[in-house]
């Protein structure tokens, strides 16, 4: 019976990769050979079946033993089964081969024998070798279902063989009872439903085959050919089956030529067969691939046959297509042809075909992703998500070698391989599984070890290594989209777990990289690091931890160790340069490494590495520098990754390529220059990221739709660093726009932890407190401390040992070791593991304590090994002693085995000798040491120790040996760490914790961390070399650094880099200026242009540089160096002046002193001379252009930036002028630039211009007041030109820009004392008026301010020019002045002329001009007879305020401050004349303004009674001036005021209270003139207005009298002075010591006392004056008739009170005497006159009221009057009669007029009242009559007597 197709299909599946033996009995390379065996192990075509069965297992076993030994050396634990811990690809080949040998063959001998059982292209170490027959459990899921309509014969069903015990998932081969013969076409129809499209092609092919001699001689071959011919003659569905069987027979038993023809027919069969069922297609394809693959028999295969095999396999893969195990088999044979073919052309063909088919496989994945992009697996949980509970490790947990101990094989990867191998067309992820298998097997092949010593690059192993690495690189580069797509997953048939493709290939890819990254072969290293770069550039979010491990354990160590080749270092640096060019990658490295705890600081390490290279001291000649530049153009790569043809054995050299360039220049120089380029790239990347600005929003959008990125190779290649690739990771990439502070906090916390680790190394106990204080450690409990020490691997092991070894730290040690589990480990392995936790201290007692803890833990985990812990303790202690003895370099004699046995026999528990021997041998052969220290020592070994022991003629390459040893350590460590990552399931937290670059603020965080290192790395090489490339790199780096610092306003950073750039210019050493210094100058100027908005206070450095450059250019052009001051000397001079003030040691005789450092520097600087070479560099025209561009570009600066610029320029101008101001030709370069930037920026918006001019104007203010006239004239001329330009710009109404712009003219004329300068100011202003009068707006105000300032001058020429100019403006431009609201300024100008005392002529003219102006204004504003509406009334008020008031105020100003009396009085007259003349036109509101602002202030000196006084601080001339002003101007003003009030009584009615108060203040003053003036004003006011005043006004008048009487009453006379001791005596009583303060106090007291006395006397005088005033008023008829009775009576009461006050004082003789004796009054005081006159006036007023019938209309009123009069009269008369004529004649004389008034008043009484009151007076009158009296008194008495007679005598008669 022929074997049915299903049997063929299953027999060649991935589970049983057995390949038929060819007709001659040779075995071709199978899947396991391709995946796991070295290519040189492949047998050639001369071998036999038996040879192949024996040879392959031997080779595999040999390789397996080596790998197992390597793994055993790496893992410090007890031996475990290799199938659980060892993943070397050859370990299980032997086991599977052995199993295959014992299997029975499936087919007959004449056709084929079953070869030894071998694995396919997957990793053998996973213990997976599934046979062709699935078990009952897995058949439903793993084997494709046969369509229902297809019947499968009973005999075709394979027999299921149970798996061999102990072999997971390994099936036994199928045994059949019948041999396999040629398939019957009739039976084939039940299996293949396929048709041929072109029968003639196949018919002709078989006819040709049948005609060959070989076929004709062989009946079996001829029969097979004829059957196909017959079937093709009558085609049916069975034809395809018949053709297949015939071709199979031809391929198995024919010659190579016949096989070639048969294989060609197979290729046609793939093209022209149409299948109705995909299952049929798959079955035929798998079977055909088995046959085709068997045709290639190794190196001896015919070249034509090789070509046909490759073509047919490519056709099967591309057209059928092929999947699963068959796909691997086809790819395997193409790979074999590439490696084993002896034809160079066939090698190239196979290699290209291999690349094509691999690309096609991944293209299917891409197409599938495109088809299924709308149906993703977002809702399906990914394996990493479901298995989150497998590992509770946090993302931040750092992996170490210790954590690898319990890791077993990756069962998930094994399961994925099984399912991918069994994939069928029904699988949704078929394309993904194919890609996974292909990529994984390529990685496994690349992981093969390659001996780099004396390797032949043409060998199979070397070419295989390069080809596989090249394929990995190609796949990643061309299909990066696939690996990024989160929807490209491998589905699982047994669970809902699905794995992303990138996660599935991670372990294999990481292993391949780890085993090749340290290779000493340049092509291997280049390919490996290029693959690593693809991961960094595109897959860094998925390979986050792997990347950190590779950097930390491989690449940075390679760059650091001395034994690594120059090529390694340069290529690594080239990759670092790429990294530095990727801004997004840099930022994400910082976020995901430097800001994450327990992750290495990649960015920091990177910059520190570059800094170390840049600062390395390298001596290099000019020739070497030229050689470096020439070689650099050739590139550094020794292998072109883009040219796959280089793998052809004809093109590749036998010897490994080695660079030959390092004989031309030092390696260190190349590294130094490249490191500078890396710095530049790093800074450029950060700067470009900042410039993007709005990238964050776009990246956030892409992250919102990660799967929308198109999948195409073009996008993958061109945009490998595009944000979409990171964003495609879905939840794994997070946008951190708002987490800047969080990252900074994490970064600072990480630094804090590092500081704690450093402290722990020095003082562990204090460090523990530090960790607790900062929240890293929960508490000080031993449990928390122990867990903390175990969980953090950054702590120094030696420090941990010391910290735990204390005598009182038993509890802590117990807690620390409590988690150690030694169960199942041998004693030495347990001790090794125990000693990895810390470094054992050297002190015996401390070792003893640790061994006790070890013994306790070991016995607990292994209770059956020792009887008690004592034996374990004893043995552990002796083992540590043995380890020290055997491996200490300082010991000459060492312990023997017998010595060790005897030492252990001392133990009470009698340790067995076998155990001691075992421990001795293991420790002797393998030292117990810390793996971390061992690895570090191996890596850092520079080979010097070995070099010392090598002879001169030795052929050993010690350096290479040392590197190979270090590379093994690095590779081993990296692989173990990466494998550990593969075993750890990535949790959801980890996925979400990859932070994507999204914000420019993240650049600030990075730059703030590394800027110091960057600065150090850039400054050193610049100073060291003059090479153009180095200089350019340093300057470019500084440029980008400054740009970044400017963007983020990092003040200190910006200052540091700018200062470095300034130092690069070497301006302090002008005799040695080089090209690089000039380039630094250019850069400074360029930065000033591009970054001017951010320089702020650094503008000074730039402008000082420009000033110095201009000076050097002048010197270069031939000017005398000493005639051009240097701004840089200013600081030296200032320091010199400071230091010169300090005391210095003098010489022996005092004739000399030491020169200070500042003085020496200044002298040295001044003695420098510009060399011709330097002059040529400095004098270049383009440098001048660049300098000018800085100033022309100021128009582009922002408002704040131009302000900073001007402030800095002001400082430079000041320094230039300060240094050169005394010279005849001062330096005005920067001042000229001030003028220039004014021109350039005059077009700015006013919002920016105003603050700008505030600083610019300040410059002109300062330089315009310099003592050097040249500077002054230059400043004024420049200011004039600028003003003319500025006035040409239109200014809108109500703005003051012109006014502010012209302010410097005013400042200069006020503050510059030079007459010439002041005259020039006036001339400049005059020119502006003449030229731009029609465009002047607010500038009029400043112009008048200038003229006003000129009017104050004492120079006749200045005043004359100013007056003429003002007069001309008044005549020609008055309308323009009024339109710009500057009329008041014009008036103020003439006012100032009038106030100038020295020029009376101009003063009088100014008063006249003001008067005429007022007349003109009156015609325009008030002289209108038409009534005004409300709006017009308001306009008039505004006109009065704007036009009238300035002139009136000018008059007032002249009145108050005019120096010349004639001008002042004339002005006063004109002032009140104007008010009299035009006051009728004033509104009340304006009158109110006039009074309060003009009239009242004139009398401001009299603000209060008794307030007029002159300060003692005033000069005598000022006092005299004020006295004159008071006695003239003020008096006249008061009279004019009363006159004005009288004239405008009604208008001033509301102002009467103020007027009355002013009069009170006038009267109540010490100055008698003022008092009399006030009395006159009061009298005039009352008399002039008595008839017009209302009762309220009279009340105010009487209130005024009340206040006057109150203020003038000398109440101080009634106060008896207490203690009349002089002040000087009091001082003597307090002490004899007197001070200046006491003397001043005494003077002050005396002055106050004298003034008080004067005021008291003056009050008495003024009281009399007031009484006389009242008396005068009562004598005026108009007064008496106008004043109301009540107010008149109230006024009379003031007189009565005055009389009573005087009488009481006069009667108190004791008081008067005390006043006299106390020195208060110079003579005995008396108020007799006040007493008498006040009584007389009072009685006169009362009798007048009594006699006035109109007022005293009834007797009741008269009675009221007499009630106060009669008693007073009687008292006065009695008192008069009591005076003694001999002694009191004066009193008698004083009272006579009062007596006369009394008697006359009585005579006027009514008869009734006379009758009632006369008798009492009559009795007294008789006594009066006896005194000598004047006639008038006698007459009054006689009249009284006569009235007595009439009333009492004659009337009775």
């Amino acid at each position: 019976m022929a074997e049915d197709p299903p049997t063929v299909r299953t027999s060649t599946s991935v589970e049983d990769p057995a390949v038929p033996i060819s007709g001659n009995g040779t075995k071709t390379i199978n899947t396991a050979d391709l995946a796991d065996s070295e290519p040189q192990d492949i047998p050639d075509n001369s071998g036999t079946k038996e040879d192949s069965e024996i040879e392959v297992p031997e080779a595999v076993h040999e390789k397996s033993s080596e790998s197992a030994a390597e793994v055993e050396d790496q893992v410090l634990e007890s031996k475990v089964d290799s199938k659980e811990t060892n993943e070397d690809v050859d370990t299980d080949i032997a086991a599977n081969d052995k199993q295959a040998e014992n299997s029975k063959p499936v087919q007959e001998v004449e056709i084929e024998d079953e070869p030894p059982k071998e694995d396919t292209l997957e990793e053998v170490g996973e213990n997976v070798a599934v046979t062709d027959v699935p078990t009952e459990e897995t058949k439903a899921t793993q084997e494709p279902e046969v369509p229902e309509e297809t019947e499968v014969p009973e005999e075709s069903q394979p027999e299921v063989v149970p798996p061999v015990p102990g072999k997971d998932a390994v099936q036994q081969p199928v045994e059949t009872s019948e041999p396999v013969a040629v398939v019957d076409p009739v039976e084939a129809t039940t299996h293949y439903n396929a048709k041929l499209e072109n029968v003639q092609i196949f018919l002709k092919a078989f006819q040709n085959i049948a005609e060959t001699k070989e076929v004709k001689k062989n009946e079996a071959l001829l029969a097979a050919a004829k059957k196909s011919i017959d079937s093709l003659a009558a085609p049916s569905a069975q034809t395809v089956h018949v053709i297949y069987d015939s071709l199979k027979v031809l391929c198995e038993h024919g010659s190579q030529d016949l096989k070639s023809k048969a294989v060609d027919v197979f290729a046609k069969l793939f093209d022209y067969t149409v299948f109705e069922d995909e299952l049929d297609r798959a079955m035929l394809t798998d079977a055909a691939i088995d046959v085709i693959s068997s045709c290639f028999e190794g190196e001896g295969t015919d070249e034509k046959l090789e070509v046909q095999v490759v073509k047919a396999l490519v056709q099967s893969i591309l057209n059928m297509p092929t999947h699963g195990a068959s796909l691997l088999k086809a790819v395997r044979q193409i790979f074999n042809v590439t490696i084993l073919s002896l034809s160079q052309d066939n090698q190239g063909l196979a290699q290209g075909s291999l690349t094509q088919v691999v690309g096609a496989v991944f293209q299917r994945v891409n197409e599938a992703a495109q088809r299924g992009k709308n149906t993703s697996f977002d809702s399906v949980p990914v394996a990493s998500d479901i298995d989150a509970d497998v590992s509770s490790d946090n993302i931040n947990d750092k992996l170490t070698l210790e954590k690898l101990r319990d890791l077993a094989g990756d069962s998930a990867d094994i399961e994925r391989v099984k399912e991918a191998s069994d994939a069928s067309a029904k699988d949704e992820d078929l394309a993904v599984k194919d890609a996974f298998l292909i990529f994984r097997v390529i990685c496994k092949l690349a992981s093969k070890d390659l001996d780099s010593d004396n390797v032949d690059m043409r060998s199979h192993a070397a070419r295989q290594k390069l080809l596989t690495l090249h394929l990995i690189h190609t796949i990643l580069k061309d299909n990066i989209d696939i690996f990024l797509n989160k929807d490209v997953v491998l589905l699982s048939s047994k669970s809902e777990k699905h794995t992303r493709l990138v996660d599935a290939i991670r372990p294999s890819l990481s292993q391949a990289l780890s085993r090749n990254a340290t290779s000493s072969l340049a092509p291997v290293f280049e390919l490996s690091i290029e693959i690593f770069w693809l991961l960094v550039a595109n897959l860094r979010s998925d390979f986050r931890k792997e990347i950190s491990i590779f950097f930390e354990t491989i690449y940075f160590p390679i760059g650091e160790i001395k034994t690594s080749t120059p090529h390694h270092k340069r290529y690594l640096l080239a990759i670092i340069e790429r990294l530095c060019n990727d801004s997004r990658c840099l930022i994400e490295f910082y976020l995901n490494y430097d800001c994450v705890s327990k992750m290495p600081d990649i960015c920091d390490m990177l910059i520190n590495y570059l800094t170390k290279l840049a600062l390395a001291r390298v001596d290099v000649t000019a020739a070497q520098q030229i050689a470096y530049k020439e070689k650099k153009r050739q590139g550094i790569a020794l292998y072109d990754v883009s040219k796959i043809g280089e793998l052809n054995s004809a093109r590749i050299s036998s010897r490994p390529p080695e660079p030959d360039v390092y004989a031309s220049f030092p390696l260190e120089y190349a590294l130094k220059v490249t490191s500078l380029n890396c710095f530049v790239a790093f800074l450029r990347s950060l700067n470009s990221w900042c410039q993007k600005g709005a990238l964050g929003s776009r990246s956030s959008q892409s992250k919102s739709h990660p799967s929308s990125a198109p999948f195409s190779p073009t996008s993958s290649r061109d945009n490998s660093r595009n944000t979409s690739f990171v964003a495609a990771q879905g939840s794994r990439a997070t946008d951190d726009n708002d987490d800047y502070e969080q990252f900074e906090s994490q970064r600072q916390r990480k630094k804090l932890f590092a500081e704690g680790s450093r402290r722990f190394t020095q003082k562990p106990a204090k460090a523990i407190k530090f960790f607790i204080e900062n929240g890293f450690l929960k508490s000080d409990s031993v449990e928390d401390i122990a867990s903390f020490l175990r969980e953090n691997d950054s702590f120094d092991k030696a420090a941990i040992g010391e910290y735990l070894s204390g005598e009182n730290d038993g509890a802590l040690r117990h807690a620390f070791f409590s988690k150690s589990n030694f169960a199942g480990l041998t004693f030495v392995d347990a001790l090794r593991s125990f000693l990895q936790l810390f470094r054992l201290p050297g002190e015996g007692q401390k070792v003893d304590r640790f061994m006790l803890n070890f013994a306790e833990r070991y016995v607990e985990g292994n209770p059956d090994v020792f009887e008690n812990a004592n034996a374990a303790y004893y043995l552990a202690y002796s083992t540590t002693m043995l380890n020290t003895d055997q491996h200490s370099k300082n010991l000459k004699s060492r312990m023997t085995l017998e010595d060790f046995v005897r030492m252990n026999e001392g133990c009470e528990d009698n340790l067995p000798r076998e155990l001691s021997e075992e421990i001795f041998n293991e420790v002797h052969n393998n030292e117990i040491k810390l793996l971390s220290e061992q690895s570090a020592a191996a890596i850092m070994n520079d080979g010097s120790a070995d070099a010392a022991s090598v002879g001169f003629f030795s052929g050993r390459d010690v350096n290479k040996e040392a590197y190979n040893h270090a590379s093994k350590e690095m590779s081993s460590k990296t692989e173990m760490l990466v494998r550990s990552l593969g075993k750890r399931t990535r949790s959801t937290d980890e996925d979400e914790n990859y932070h994507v670059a999204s914000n420019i603020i993240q650049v600030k965080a990075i730059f703030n961390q590394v800027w110091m290192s960057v600065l150090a790395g850039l400054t050193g090489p610049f100073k060291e070399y003059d090479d153009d490339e180095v200089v350019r790199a340093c300057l470019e780096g500084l440029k980008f650094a400054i740009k970044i610092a400017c963007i983020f306003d990092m003040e200190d950073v910006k200052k540091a880099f700018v200062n470095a750039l300034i130092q690069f210019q070497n301006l302090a050493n002008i005799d040695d200026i080089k090209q690089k210094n000039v380039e630094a100058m250019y850069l400074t100027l360029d930065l000033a242009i591009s970054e001017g908005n951010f320089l702020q206070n650094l503008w000074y450095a730039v402008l000082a540089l420009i000033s110095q450059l201009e000076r050097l250019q002048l010197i270069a052009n031939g000017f005398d160096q000493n005639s051009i001051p240097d701004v840089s000397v200013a600081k030296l001079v200032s320091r010199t002046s400071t230091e010169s003030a300090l005391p210095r040691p003098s010489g022996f005789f005092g004739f000399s002193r030491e020169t200070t450092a500042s003085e020496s520097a200044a002298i040295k600087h001044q003695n420098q001379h510009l060399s011709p070479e330097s002059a040529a560099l400095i004098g270049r025209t383009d440098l001048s252009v660049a300098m000018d561009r800085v100033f022309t570009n100021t128009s582009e600066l922002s408002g704040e930036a131009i302000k900073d610029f001007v402030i800095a320029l002001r400082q430079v101008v000041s320094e230039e002028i300060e240094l050169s101001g005394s010279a005849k030709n001062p330096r005005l370069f920067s001042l000229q630039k001030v003028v220039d930037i004014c021109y350039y920026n005059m077009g700015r918006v006013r919002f920016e211009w105003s603050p700008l001019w505030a600083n610019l104007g300040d410059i002109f203010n300062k330089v315009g007041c310099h003592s050097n006239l040249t500077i002054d004239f230059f400043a004024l001329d420049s200011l004039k030109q600028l003003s003319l330009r500025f006035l040409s710009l239109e200014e809108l109404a109500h703005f003051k820009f012109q006014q502010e712009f012209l302010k410097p003219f005013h400042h200069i004329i006020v503050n510059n004392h030079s007459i010439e300068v002041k005259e020039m100011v006036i001339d400049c202003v005059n020119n502006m008026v003449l030229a731009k009068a029609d465009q002047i707006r607010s500038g009029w105000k400043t112009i008048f301010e200038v003229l006003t300032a000129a009017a104050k001058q004492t120079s006749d020429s200045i005043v004359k020019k100013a007056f003429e100019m003002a007069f001309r403006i008044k005549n020609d431009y008055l309308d323009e002045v009024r339109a710009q609201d500057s009329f008041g300024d014009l008036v103020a100008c003439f006012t100032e002329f009038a106030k100038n005392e020295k020029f009376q002529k101009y003063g009088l003219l100014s008063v006249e001009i003001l008067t005429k102006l007022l007349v003109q204004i009156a015609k325009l504003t008030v002289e209108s007879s038409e009534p005004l509406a409300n709006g017009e009334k308001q306009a008039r008020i505004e006109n009065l305020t704007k036009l009238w008031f300035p002139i009136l105020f000018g008059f007032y100003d002249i009145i108050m401050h005019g120096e010349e009396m004639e001008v002042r009085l004339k002005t006063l007259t004109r002032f009140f004349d104007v008010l009299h003349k035009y006051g009728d036109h004033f509104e009340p509101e304006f009158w109110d303004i006039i009074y309060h602002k003009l009239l009242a202030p004139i009398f401001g000196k009299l603000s209060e009674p008794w307030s007029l006084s002159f300060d003692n601080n005033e000069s005598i001339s000022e006092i005299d001036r004020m006295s004159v002003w008071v006695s003239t101007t003020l008096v006249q003003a008061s009279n004019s005021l009363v006159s004005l009030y009288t004239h405008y009584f009604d208008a001033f009615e509301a102002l009467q209270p103020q007027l009355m108060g002013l009069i009170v203040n006038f009267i109540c003053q010490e100055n008698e003139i003022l008092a009399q003036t006030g009395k006159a004003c009061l009298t005039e006011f009352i008399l002039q207005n008595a008839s017009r005043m209302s009762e309220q006004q009279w009340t105010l008048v009487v209130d005024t009298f009340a206040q006057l009487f109150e203020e003038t009453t000398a109440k101080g006379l009634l106060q008896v002075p207490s203690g009349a001791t002089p002040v000087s005596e009091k001082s003597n009583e307090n002490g004899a010591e007197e001070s200046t303060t006491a003397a001043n106090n005494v003077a002050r007291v005396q002055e106050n006392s004298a003034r008080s006395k004067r005021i008291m006397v003056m009050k008495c005088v003024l009281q009399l004056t007031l009484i006389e005033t009242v008396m005068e008023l009562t004598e005026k008829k108009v007064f008496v008739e106008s004043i109301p009775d009540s107010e008149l009576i109230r006024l009379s009461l003031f007189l009565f009170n005055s009389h009573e006050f005087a009488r009481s004082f006069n009667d108190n003789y004791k008081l008067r005497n005390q006043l006299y004796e106390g020195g208060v009054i110079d003579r005995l005081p008396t108020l007799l006159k006040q007493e008498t006159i006040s009584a007389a006036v009072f009685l006169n007023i009362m009798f007048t009221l009594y006699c006035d019938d109109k007022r005293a209309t009834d007797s009741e009123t008269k009675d009221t009057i007499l009630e106060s009069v009669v008693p007073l009269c009687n008292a006065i008369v009695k008192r008069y009669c009591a005076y003694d004529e001999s002694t009191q004649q004066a009193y008698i004389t004083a009272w006579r007029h009062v007596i006369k008034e009394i008697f006359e008043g009585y005579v006027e009484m009514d008869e009734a009242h006379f009758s009632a009151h006369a008798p009492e007076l009559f009795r007294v009158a008789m006594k009066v009559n006896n005194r000598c009296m004047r006639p008038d008194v006698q007459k009054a008495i006689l009249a009284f007597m006569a009235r007595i007679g009439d009333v009492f005598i004659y009337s009775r008669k």
Side-chain angles (χ1 to χ4, degrees), residues 1454-1472:
I1454 299 171
I1455 294 169
M1456 295 297 296
H1457 305 100
E1459 300 293 341
E1460 217 285 321
M1461 180 183 299
E1462 184 179 352
V1463 175
R1464 189 168 63 238
L1465 294 178
K1466 183 177 179 180
T1467 304
L1468 182 64
T1469 303
R1470 295 293 176 85
F1471 177 63
F1472 283 99

Side-chain angles (χ1 to χ4, degrees), residues 1435-1455:
R1436 172 176 285 188
I1437 295 176
E1438 292 182 1
N1439 286 330
L1440 290 172
T1441 304
K1442 293 182 179 180
L1443 301 177
W1444 280 83
F1445 183 77
I1447 301 177
L1448 296 177
F1449 183 82
F1451 285 149
Y1452 159 77
D1453 193 18
I1454 299 171
I1455 294 169

Side-chain angles (χ1 to χ4, degrees), residues 78-149:
S78 62
K79 297 179 180 179
V80 293
D81 192 350
S82 62
K83 67 181 180 180
E84 297 178 353
T85 60
N86 186 4
E87 288 193 12
D88 186 273
V89 296
D90 293 326
T91 304
D92 282 344
I93 292 180
N96 293 333
D97 288 343
K98 185 176 180 180
Q99 178 182 341
E101 290 178 5
N102 297 328
S103 302
K104 296 181 179 180
V106 180
Q107 299 166 326
E108 291 183 353
V109 176
E110 62 269 24
I111 297 180
E112 64 177 348
D113 286 336
E114 180 71 12
K117 179 70 178 70
E118 295 178 355
D119 245 347
T120 58
L121 291 177
E122 62 269 8
E123 184 182 10
V124 183
E126 295 150 356
N127 299 320
V128 176
V130 184
T131 63
D132 55 315
V133 182
T135 61
E136 292 295 331
E137 299 175 353
T138 61
K139 182 166 62 176
T141 58
Q142 296 181 353
E143 191 72 6
E145 292 291 334
V146 180
E148 295 181 359
E149 66 271 15

Side-chain angles (χ1 to χ4, degrees), residues 1461-1555:
M1461 180 183 299
E1462 184 179 352
V1463 175
R1464 189 168 63 238
L1465 294 178
K1466 183 177 179 180
T1467 304
L1468 182 64
T1469 303
R1470 295 293 176 85
F1471 177 63
F1472 283 99
D1473 288 347
V1474 168
L1475 294 179
H1476 276 282
K1477 183 176 180 180
Y1478 298 104
D1480 294 334
H1481 304 286
F1482 295 165
E1483 300 295 333
E1485 296 86 350
F1486 189 62
W1487 269 119
D1488 187 66
I1489 294 174
I1490 290 175
Y1491 179 80
H1492 287 96
K1493 294 188 176 181
L1494 302 179
L1495 295 176
I1498 294 177
F1499 308 97
K1501 282 285 185 178
L1502 306 176
S1503 59
E1504 294 180 358
W1506 317 108
S1507 62
L1508 182 62
S1509 62
F1510 302 108
D1511 194 348
N1512 292 332
N1513 296 329
E1514 296 181 359
S1515 62
I1516 297 179
S1517 60
E1518 181 67 17
I1519 295 176
D1520 293 340
R1521 191 192 69 82
M1522 286 299 300
S1523 300
V1524 173
W1525 182 85
V1526 167
S1527 60
T1528 56
T1529 306
L1530 190 61
V1531 170
Q1532 183 178 343
S1534 62
N1535 294 325
S1536 300
L1537 177 63
V1538 173
S1539 175
L1540 181 65
Y1541 191 96
T1542 302
H1543 186 76
Y1544 297 107
F1545 182 82
D1546 295 334
F1548 276 20
E1549 180 180 0
L1551 300 177
Q1552 185 180 348
Q1554 289 86 340
L1555 180 62

Side-chain angles (χ1 to χ4, degrees), residues 1638-1676:
N1640 293 336
N1641 292 336
V1642 169
R1644 190 178 300 109
V1645 170
Q1646 292 176 349
E1647 175 64 24
N1648 293 336
S1649 177
R1651 187 169 185 270
S1652 299
K1653 184 189 299 184
R1654 292 196 303 269
I1655 292 177
M1656 192 179 300
V1657 173
M1658 193 63 192
K1659 283 184 177 182
C1660 297
V1661 174
L1662 291 178
Q1663 185 95 102
L1664 289 174
T1665 302
L1666 283 176
I1667 296 171
E1668 292 172 355
T1669 301
V1670 174
M1671 182 176 63
E1672 292 173 1
L1673 290 174
T1674 54
E1675 293 175 355
K1676 303 295 183 179

Side-chain angles (χ1 to χ4, degrees), residues 1611-1627:
K1611 297 179 180 180
L1613 296 175
L1614 302 179
Q1615 298 176 359
V1616 179
S1618 58
T1621 307
V1623 177
S1624 59
E1625 296 180 4
K1626 294 181 179 179
S1627 301

